[in-house]
């Protein structure tokens, strides 16, 4: 075994370096194998050692005893010139790269560590979402509780009725109080039925975007939207003291679904003796159907634009009325009710609609009579079932982001979800009206324009049926809450003195106000006339249609009789 011999190391007591007494032979013995070149501090240093020299990388370097010294030997390096600045190289002074922290970095640098479990990642995302939600809540409260949505602020909403200075505001009710209300009513009873309905054509259930059907026009059939106090049947029931509160299904559904509304609306309340009548004004917004009311994308404000809120409302009424008559079996067979249509003249052709005057008992002293409508009837297992028929209309896929022609066949649920988001109030009102009428089925049609710029011609893409109570559960419409809102409004109005009042939904805030108005208010109310023909936007026509006929469809307003 070869031992290790420690050489004699001289020790200098007077300073650094070898002592002066050390002999030259000793120094030569220690430094004979160490390359050394004298230099001064003013000299520029080049490479100290170059281990990349070809002599060092030579596989046969073991045969060369001076291979180690060649790394330090620069005498044969012609490129190294101490006086040449181009050969001078600085040491890299960049800071070292910072470690990249995160799941990917941890996984790459810890290959033996198992990745996170899937449920742990989901929980981490939930915690991050909660932090983001808490941060938004803090910003919301810091702004004074006003949700500043720039996309919705672009649309300036106006009141449905001009508030006069002589009106006296009685009370204002925020919608936040409506969500806490709940009331249960017993099953209603039919006092009388009027009108007649036709059978539903089941072939429309097979309609698809590939087998679309053209929407027909029924100009000869009259539709009536008569208010409560102008209804002769309600006047007769009021004289017979059948109830204390009277309303129509469209007015009552507006109250029931008030928390979902965005646009302004108004309802006239008349207190006569111990009776209460909920009415609507002549030319009221309640006669129209809102489009994209709850959407975040604002509609054009110009009324002459075919995609403005007013133009789309008129178009939606036109589509809804024609669709409700087209899906019927038009073979002349009708199912008549106890009485004829109370609003039609003798020999006048009327639309297929049945009126059910129903009474609910709100408490021991207050009972409610509502005129409910059904549009059709169907036989299921030799049993006749009532049905309501309504239509959703698509005007431009760019606004909703969902093209019905492409998505109805494969993603019908996504189309319905988009409509529930953009038209939550309208669909909730349709559902409430079907529940009030005790309809066994509600049919929803999907109707779109032939061309996005043609608002006269439409096609039916699909028809889907739902049971009203089940559909109410899908859209989170609580019937107990609906009746709780009605009960609270009725109790509040029954405490008022005799006179005329108006409930107005604030156009900017989620609240409703009650004003006391003069007795002659709204009797000579101004109804805005449609635009002249030469000022209307004219789309392309098909099949040689006349402009006059198209304008008649555009300017079609709901007919009402006093």
């Amino acid at each position: 075994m070869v031992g290790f011999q420690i050489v004699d190391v001289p020790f200098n007591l007077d300073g650094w370096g070898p002592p002066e007494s050390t002999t030259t032979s000793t120094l030569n013995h220690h430094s004979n194998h160490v390359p050394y070149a004298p230099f001064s501090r003013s000299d520029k240093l080049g490479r100290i050692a170059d281990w990349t020299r070809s002599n060092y990388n030579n596989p046969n370097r073991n045969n060369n005893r001076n291979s180690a010294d060649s790394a330090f030997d620069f005498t044969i390096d012609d490129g190294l010139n101490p006086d040449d600045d181009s050969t001078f190289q600085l040491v890299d002074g960049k800071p070292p790269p910072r470690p990249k922290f995160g799941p990917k970095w941890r996984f790459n640098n810890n290959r033996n560590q198992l990745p996170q479990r899937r449920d742990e990642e989901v929980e981490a995302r939930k915690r991050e979402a909660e932090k983001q939600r808490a941060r938004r809540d803090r910003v919301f409260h810091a702004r004074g509780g006003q949700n500043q949505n720039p996309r919705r602020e672009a649309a300036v909403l106006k009141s449905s009725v001009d508030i006069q200075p002589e009106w006296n505001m009685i009370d204002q009710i925020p919608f936040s109080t409506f969500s806490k209300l709940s009331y249960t009513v017993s099953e209603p009873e039919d006092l009388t039925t009027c009108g007649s309905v036709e059978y539903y054509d089941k072939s429309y259930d097979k309609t698809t975007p590939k087998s679309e059907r053209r929407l027909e026009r029924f100009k000869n059939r009259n539709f009536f939207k008569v208010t409560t106090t102008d209804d002769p049947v309600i006047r007769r029931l009021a004289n017979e003291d059948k109830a204390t509160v009277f309303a129509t299904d469209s007015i009552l559904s507006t109250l029931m679904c008030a928390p979902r509304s965005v646009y302004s609306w108004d309802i006239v309340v008349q207190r006569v003796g111990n009776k209460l009548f909920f009415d609507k004004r002549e030319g009221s917004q309640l006669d129209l159907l809102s489009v994209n009311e709850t959407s975040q994308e604002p509609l054009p404000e110009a009324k002459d634009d075919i995609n403005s809120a007013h133009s789309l409302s008129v178009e939606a009424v036109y589509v809804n009325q024609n669709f409700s008559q087209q899906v019927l079996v038009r073979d002349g067979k009708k199912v008549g009710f106890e009485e004829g249509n109370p609003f039609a003249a003798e020999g006048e052709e009327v639309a297929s609609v049945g009126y059910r005057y129903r009474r609910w008992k709100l408490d021991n002293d207050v009972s409610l009579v509502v005129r409910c409508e059904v549009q059709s009837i169907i036989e299921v297992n030799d049993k006749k079932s009532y049905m309501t028929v309504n239509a959703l209309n698509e005007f431009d896929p760019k606004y909703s982001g969902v093209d019905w022609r492409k998505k109805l066949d494969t993603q019908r649920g996504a189309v319905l979800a988009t409509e529930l988001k953009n038209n939550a109030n309208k669909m909730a009102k349709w559902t409430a009206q079907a529940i009030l009428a005790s309809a066994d089925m509600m049919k929803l049609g999907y109707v779109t324009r032939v061309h996005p710029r043609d608002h006269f011609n439409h096609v039916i893409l699909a028809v889907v049926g739902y049971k009203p109570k089940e559909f109410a559960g899908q859209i989170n419409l609580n019937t107990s809450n609906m009746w709780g809102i009605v009960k609270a409004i009725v109790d509040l109005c029954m405490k008022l003195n005799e006179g005329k009042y108006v409930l107005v939904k604030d156009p900017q805030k989620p609240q409703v106000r009650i004003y006391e108005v003069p007795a002659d208010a709204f009797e000579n109310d101004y109804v805005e006339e449609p635009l002249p023909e030469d000022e209307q936007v004219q789309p392309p026509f098909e099949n040689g249609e006349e402009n006059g006929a198209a304008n008649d469809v555009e300017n079609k307003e709901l007919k009402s009789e006093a």
Side-chain angles (χ1 to χ4, degrees), residues 235-379:
R235 287 186 176 183
R236 185 185 69 197
L237 296 176
N239 292 332
E240 297 175 357
D241 290 332
K242 295 293 184 180
T244 53
V245 183
F246 300 88
T248 63
D249 57 350
S250 62
I251 296 176
L252 200 66
S253 62
T254 302
L255 289 176
M256 289 179 165
C257 306
R260 301 181 182 226
S261 61
V262 176
Y263 295 159
S264 178
W265 47 264
D266 58 275
I267 296 175
V268 180
V269 182
Q270 298 191 56
R271 178 74 190 276
V272 182
N274 65 336
K275 293 181 174 58
L276 201 63
F277 296 89
F278 290 94
D279 275 320
K280 62 181 179 181
R281 297 180 296 106
E282 183 77 15
S284 172
Q285 290 290 333
L286 300 182
D287 290 336
L288 303 177
L289 295 175
S290 63
V291 179
N292 276 31
E293 178 179 359
T294 55
S295 173
Q296 294 298 324
E297 293 293 337
L299 297 174
E301 297 183 9
K303 275 194 173 183
D304 56 348
D305 194 305
I306 63 173
N307 291 334
S308 66
H310 178 75
S311 300
L312 289 175
S313 297
V314 176
E315 179 184 354
V317 174
Y318 157 75
V319 169
N320 195 73
Q321 290 180 347
N322 287 278
F323 174 78
S324 66
Q325 304 304 304
Q326 181 173 343
V327 297
L328 306 177
V329 180
R330 298 186 296 274
D331 56 357
K333 296 182 180 179
K334 296 184 178 181
V335 177
F337 290 169
E338 297 176 3
E339 303 178 22
N341 194 310
F343 316 119
E346 186 177 356
E348 183 180 8
E349 185 178 359
V350 296
S352 172
V353 60
Y355 303 102
R356 305 180 68 181
Y357 293 85
R358 320 192 77 195
R359 179 171 61 185
W360 284 266
K361 190 173 183 180
L362 299 182
D363 54 36
N364 295 331
D365 300 326
V366 179
S367 56
L368 170 67
V369 167
V370 182
R371 186 189 70 208
C372 306
E373 297 183 8
V374 292
Q375 285 76 33
S376 180
I377 195 171
I378 190 173
E379 284 191 2

Side-chain angles (χ1 to χ4, degrees), residues 31-37 48 68-69 71-73:
S31 59
N32 58 351
H33 296 295
V34 177
Y36 174 76
I48 298 176
D69 296 339
F72 301 93
D73 186 10

Side-chain angles (χ1 to χ4, degrees), residues 159-173:
S159 178
S160 61
V161 63
D162 294 332
I163 307 299
Q164 302 300 324
E166 64 269 15
W167 292 5
N168 180 27
M169 189 179 72
I170 303 299
D171 196 2
Q172 63 180 13
I173 309 171

